[in-house]
Coordinates of all heavy atoms in Angstrom, one line a residue:
H1171 N -1.5 -0.3 -15.5 CA -0.9 -0.2 -16.8 C -2.1 0.2 -17.7 O -3.2 -0.1 -17.4 CB -0.2 -1.4 -17.3 CG 1.0 -1.8 -16.6 ND1 1.0 -2.2 -15.3 CD2 2.3 -1.7 -17.0 CE1 2.3 -2.5 -14.9 NE2 3.1 -2.2 -15.9
R1172 N -1.8 0.7 -18.9 CA -2.8 0.9 -19.9 C -2.3 0.6 -21.3 O -1.1 0.7 -21.5 CB -3.3 2.3 -19.8 CG -2.4 3.4 -20.2 CD -3.0 4.8 -20.0 NE -2.1 5.9 -20.4 CZ -2.3 7.2 -20.2 NH1 -3.4 7.6 -19.6 NH2 -1.4 8.1 -20.6
Q1173 N -3.2 0.3 -22.2 CA -2.8 0.0 -23.5 C -3.9 0.5 -24.5 O -5.0 0.1 -24.4 CB -2.6 -1.5 -23.8 CG -2.0 -1.8 -25.2 CD -1.4 -3.2 -25.3 OE1 -1.8 -4.1 -24.5 NE2 -0.6 -3.4 -26.3
A1174 N -3.4 1.5 -25.3 CA -4.3 2.0 -26.3 C -4.2 1.3 -27.6 O -3.2 0.6 -27.8 CB -4.0 3.5 -26.5
P1175 N -5.2 1.3 -28.4 CA -5.1 0.5 -29.7 C -3.9 1.0 -30.5 O -3.6 2.1 -30.7 CB -6.4 0.9 -30.4 CG -7.4 1.3 -29.3 CD -6.5 1.9 -28.3
G1176 N -3.2 0.0 -31.0 CA -2.0 0.2 -31.8 C -0.8 0.7 -31.1 O 0.2 1.1 -31.7
K1177 N -0.9 0.8 -29.7 CA 0.3 1.3 -28.9 C 0.8 0.2 -28.0 O 0.0 -0.7 -27.6 CB -0.1 2.6 -28.2 CG -0.4 3.7 -29.1 CD -0.6 5.0 -28.3 CE -0.9 6.2 -29.2 NZ -1.1 7.4 -28.4
Q1178 N 2.0 0.4 -27.5 CA 2.5 -0.5 -26.5 C 1.9 -0.2 -25.1 O 1.4 0.9 -24.8 CB 4.0 -0.3 -26.4 CG 4.8 -0.9 -27.6 CD 6.3 -0.9 -27.4 OE1 6.8 -0.1 -26.6 NE2 7.0 -1.8 -28.0
R1179 N 1.9 -1.3 -24.3 CA 1.4 -1.1 -22.9 C 2.3 -0.1 -22.2 O 3.5 -0.1 -22.3 CB 1.4 -2.4 -22.2 CG 0.7 -2.4 -20.8 CD 0.5 -3.8 -20.3 NE 1.7 -4.5 -20.2 CZ 1.8 -5.9 -20.1 NH1 0.7 -6.6 -20.2 NH2 2.9 -6.5 -19.9
E1180 N 1.7 0.7 -21.4 CA 2.4 1.8 -20.7 C 2.1 1.7 -19.2 O 0.9 1.5 -18.8 CB 1.8 3.2 -21.2 CG 2.3 4.4 -20.5 CD 1.6 5.7 -20.8 OE1 0.5 5.6 -21.4 OE2 2.1 6.8 -20.5
L1181 N 3.1 1.9 -18.4 CA 3.0 1.9 -17.0 C 2.4 3.2 -16.6 O 2.9 4.3 -17.0 CB 4.3 1.7 -16.3 CG 4.3 1.8 -14.8 CD1 3.5 0.8 -14.1 CD2 5.8 1.8 -14.2
V1182 N 1.3 3.2 -15.8 CA 0.6 4.4 -15.4 C 1.1 4.8 -14.0 O 1.5 6.0 -13.8 CB -0.9 4.2 -15.4 CG1 -1.6 5.5 -14.9 CG2 -1.4 3.9 -16.8
A1183 N 1.0 3.9 -13.0 CA 1.3 4.2 -11.7 C 1.5 3.0 -10.9 O 0.9 1.9 -11.2 CB 0.3 5.1 -11.0
T1184 N 2.4 3.0 -9.9 CA 2.6 1.9 -9.0 C 2.6 2.4 -7.5 O 2.9 3.6 -7.3 CB 3.9 1.1 -9.3 OG1 5.0 2.0 -9.1 CG2 3.9 0.6 -10.7
I1185 N 2.3 1.5 -6.6 CA 2.4 1.8 -5.2 C 2.9 0.5 -4.5 O 2.5 -0.6 -4.8 CB 1.0 2.2 -4.6 CG1 1.1 2.6 -3.2 CG2 -0.1 1.1 -4.8 CD1 -0.1 3.3 -2.7
T1186 N 3.9 0.7 -3.7 CA 4.5 -0.4 -3.0 C 3.8 -0.6 -1.6 O 3.0 0.2 -1.2 CB 6.0 -0.2 -2.7 OG1 6.1 0.8 -1.7 CG2 6.7 0.3 -4.0
R1187 N 4.2 -1.7 -1.0 CA 3.6 -2.0 0.3 C 4.0 -1.0 1.4 O 3.4 -0.8 2.4 CB 3.9 -3.4 0.8 CG 5.4 -3.7 1.0 CD 5.6 -4.9 1.9 NE 5.0 -6.1 1.3 CZ 5.7 -7.1 0.8 NH1 7.1 -7.0 0.8 NH2 5.2 -8.2 0.3
N1188 N 5.1 -0.3 1.1 CA 5.5 0.8 1.9 C 5.0 2.2 1.5 O 5.5 3.2 2.0 CB 7.1 0.9 2.0 CG 7.7 -0.4 2.6 OD1 7.1 -0.9 3.6 ND2 8.8 -0.9 2.0
L1189 N 4.0 2.2 0.6 CA 3.4 3.4 0.1 C 4.3 4.3 -0.7 O 4.0 5.5 -0.8 CB 2.7 4.1 1.3 CG 1.7 3.4 2.2 CD1 1.2 4.3 3.2 CD2 0.6 2.8 1.3
N1190 N 5.3 3.7 -1.3 CA 6.1 4.5 -2.2 C 5.4 4.5 -3.6 O 5.0 3.4 -4.1 CB 7.5 3.9 -2.4 CG 8.3 4.0 -1.2 OD1 8.3 5.1 -0.5 ND2 9.0 3.0 -0.8
I1191 N 5.2 5.7 -4.1 CA 4.4 5.8 -5.4 C 5.3 6.3 -6.5 O 6.1 7.1 -6.3 CB 3.2 6.8 -5.1 CG1 2.2 6.2 -4.2 CG2 2.6 7.2 -6.4 CD1 1.1 7.2 -3.7
S1192 N 5.0 5.7 -7.7 CA 5.7 6.2 -8.9 C 4.6 6.3 -9.9 O 3.7 5.4 -10.1 CB 6.7 5.1 -9.3 OG 7.3 5.5 -10.5
D1193 N 4.6 7.4 -10.7 CA 3.7 7.5 -11.8 C 4.3 8.1 -13.0 O 5.3 8.7 -13.0 CB 2.4 8.3 -11.4 CG 2.8 9.6 -10.7 OD1 3.9 10.1 -11.0 OD2 1.9 10.2 -10.0
S1194 N 3.6 7.9 -14.2 CA 4.1 8.3 -15.5 C 4.0 9.8 -15.6 O 3.1 10.4 -15.1 CB 3.3 7.6 -16.5 OG 3.5 8.2 -17.8
D1195 N 4.9 10.4 -16.3 CA 4.9 11.8 -16.6 C 3.6 12.2 -17.3 O 3.1 13.3 -17.1 CB 6.1 12.3 -17.4 CG 7.4 12.3 -16.6 OD1 7.3 12.2 -15.4 OD2 8.4 12.3 -17.3
S1196 N 3.0 11.3 -18.0 CA 1.8 11.7 -18.8 C 0.6 11.8 -17.9 O -0.4 12.4 -18.4 CB 1.6 10.6 -19.9 OG 1.3 9.4 -19.3
V1197 N 0.6 11.3 -16.7 CA -0.5 11.4 -15.8 C -0.2 12.2 -14.5 O -1.1 12.4 -13.7 CB -1.1 10.0 -15.5 CG1 -1.3 9.2 -16.7 CG2 -0.1 9.2 -14.6
K1198 N 1.0 12.6 -14.4 CA 1.4 13.2 -13.2 C 0.6 14.5 -12.9 O 0.3 15.3 -13.8 CB 2.9 13.6 -13.2 CG 3.6 13.8 -11.9 CD 5.1 14.0 -12.0 CE 5.8 12.7 -12.5 NZ 5.8 11.7 -11.5
G1199 N 0.1 14.6 -11.7 CA -0.8 15.7 -11.3 C -2.2 15.5 -11.7 O -3.1 16.3 -11.3
R1200 N -2.6 14.5 -12.4 CA -4.0 14.2 -12.8 C -4.5 12.9 -12.2 O -5.6 12.8 -11.8 CB -4.1 14.2 -14.3 CG -3.7 15.5 -15.0 CD -4.1 15.4 -16.5 NE -3.3 14.3 -17.2 CZ -3.9 13.4 -17.9 NH1 -5.2 13.3 -17.9 NH2 -3.2 12.4 -18.5
F1201 N -3.6 11.9 -12.1 CA -4.0 10.6 -11.6 C -3.4 10.4 -10.3 O -2.2 10.8 -10.0 CB -3.5 9.5 -12.6 CG -4.2 9.4 -13.9 CD1 -5.1 10.4 -14.3 CD2 -4.0 8.3 -14.7 CE1 -5.7 10.4 -15.6 CE2 -4.6 8.3 -16.0 CZ -5.5 9.3 -16.4
T1202 N -4.1 9.7 -9.4 CA -3.6 9.4 -8.1 C -3.8 7.9 -7.7 O -5.0 7.5 -7.8 CB -4.2 10.3 -7.0 OG1 -4.0 11.6 -7.3 CG2 -3.6 10.0 -5.6
I1203 N -2.8 7.2 -7.4 CA -3.0 5.8 -7.0 C -3.0 5.7 -5.5 O -2.3 6.5 -4.8 CB -1.8 4.9 -7.6 CG1 -2.1 3.4 -7.3 CG2 -0.5 5.3 -7.0 CD1 -1.2 2.5 -8.1
S1204 N -3.8 4.9 -5.0 CA -3.9 4.7 -3.5 C -4.3 3.2 -3.2 O -4.7 2.5 -4.1 CB -4.9 5.6 -2.9 OG -6.2 5.4 -3.4
R1205 N -4.2 2.9 -1.9 CA -4.5 1.5 -1.6 C -5.3 1.5 -0.3 O -5.1 2.4 0.6 CB -3.2 0.6 -1.4 CG -2.2 1.2 -0.5 CD -0.9 0.4 -0.6 NE -1.0 -0.9 -0.1 CZ -0.2 -1.9 -0.4 NH1 0.7 -1.7 -1.3 NH2 -0.4 -3.1 0.1
D1206 N -6.2 0.5 -0.2 CA -7.0 0.3 1.0 C -6.7 -1.1 1.5 O -7.3 -2.0 1.0 CB -8.5 0.6 0.7 CG -9.4 0.5 1.9 OD1 -9.0 -0.1 3.0 OD2 -10.5 1.0 1.9
N1207 N -5.8 -1.2 2.5 CA -5.4 -2.5 2.9 C -6.6 -3.3 3.5 O -6.7 -4.5 3.3 CB -4.3 -2.4 3.9 CG -3.0 -2.0 3.3 OD1 -2.8 -2.0 2.0 ND2 -2.0 -1.6 4.1
A1208 N -7.5 -2.6 4.2 CA -8.6 -3.3 4.8 C -9.5 -3.9 3.8 O -10.1 -5.0 4.1 CB -9.4 -2.3 5.7
K1209 N -9.6 -3.3 2.6 CA -10.5 -3.9 1.6 C -9.8 -4.6 0.5 O -10.3 -5.0 -0.5 CB -11.3 -2.7 1.0 CG -12.3 -2.1 2.0 CD -13.2 -1.0 1.4 CE -14.1 -0.4 2.4 NZ -15.0 0.6 1.8
N1210 N -8.4 -4.7 0.7 CA -7.6 -5.4 -0.3 C -7.8 -4.8 -1.7 O -8.0 -5.6 -2.7 CB -7.9 -6.9 -0.4 CG -7.4 -7.6 0.9 OD1 -6.4 -7.2 1.5 ND2 -8.2 -8.5 1.4
T1211 N -7.8 -3.5 -1.8 CA -8.2 -2.8 -3.0 C -7.2 -1.7 -3.3 O -6.7 -1.0 -2.4 CB -9.6 -2.2 -2.9 OG1 -10.5 -3.3 -2.7 CG2 -10.0 -1.6 -4.2
V1212 N -6.8 -1.6 -4.6 CA -6.0 -0.5 -5.0 C -6.9 0.4 -6.0 O -7.6 -0.1 -6.8 CB -4.8 -1.0 -5.8 CG1 -4.0 0.2 -6.4 CG2 -3.9 -1.8 -4.8
H1213 N -6.8 1.7 -5.8 CA -7.6 2.6 -6.6 C -6.7 3.5 -7.5 O -5.5 3.7 -7.2 CB -8.4 3.5 -5.7 CG -9.3 2.8 -4.7 ND1 -10.4 2.2 -5.1 CD2 -9.2 2.7 -3.4 CE1 -11.0 1.7 -4.0 NE2 -10.3 1.9 -3.0
L1214 N -7.3 3.9 -8.6 CA -6.7 4.9 -9.5 C -7.7 6.0 -9.7 O -8.7 5.8 -10.4 CB -6.2 4.3 -10.8 CG -5.4 5.2 -11.7 CD1 -4.1 5.6 -11.1 CD2 -5.3 4.6 -13.1
Q1215 N -7.5 7.1 -9.1 CA -8.4 8.3 -9.3 C -7.8 9.1 -10.5 O -6.7 9.5 -10.5 CB -8.4 9.2 -8.0 CG -9.2 10.4 -8.2 CD -10.7 10.1 -8.3 OE1 -11.3 9.2 -7.6 NE2 -11.4 10.8 -9.3
M1216 N -8.7 9.2 -11.5 CA -8.3 9.9 -12.7 C -9.1 11.1 -12.9 O -10.3 11.1 -13.1 CB -8.5 8.9 -13.9 CG -7.8 7.6 -13.7 SD -7.9 6.5 -15.2 CE -9.6 6.2 -15.3
N1217 N -8.4 12.3 -12.8 CA -9.0 13.6 -13.0 C -8.5 14.2 -14.3 O -7.5 13.9 -14.8 CB -8.8 14.5 -11.8 CG -9.3 13.9 -10.5 OD1 -10.3 13.2 -10.5 ND2 -8.6 14.1 -9.4

């Protein structure tokens, strides 16, 4: 999620344990969410 000053918190992207991904229209095509189960880490690549 993200929150800019003076604005409401916004959902950016989610990923389920089954690798289903959902992302906001505002970041679609630019941001990519992924997960590394071996490292217990979730990433957000922002281009």
Side-chain angles (χ1 to χ4, degrees):
H1171 291 70
R1172 68 184 181 184
Q1173 187 165 21
K1177 295 188 176 181
Q1178 288 190 331
R1179 187 168 61 198
E1180 173 191 17
L1181 175 64
V1182 176
T1184 61
I1185 185 167
T1186 70
R1187 61 160 62 108
N1188 296 321
L1189 301 182
N1190 292 317
I1191 291 173
S1192 175
D1193 50 22
S1194 165
D1195 287 343
S1196 63
V1197 305
K1198 203 173 292 288
R1200 300 187 298 122
F1201 292 9
T1202 303
I1203 189 170
S1204 63
R1205 55 191 289 158
D1206 184 339
N1207 290 346
K1209 296 183 178 180
N1210 295 323
T1211 302
V1212 175
H1213 302 289
L1214 184 69
Q1215 178 66 44
M1216 305 185 295
N1217 299 328

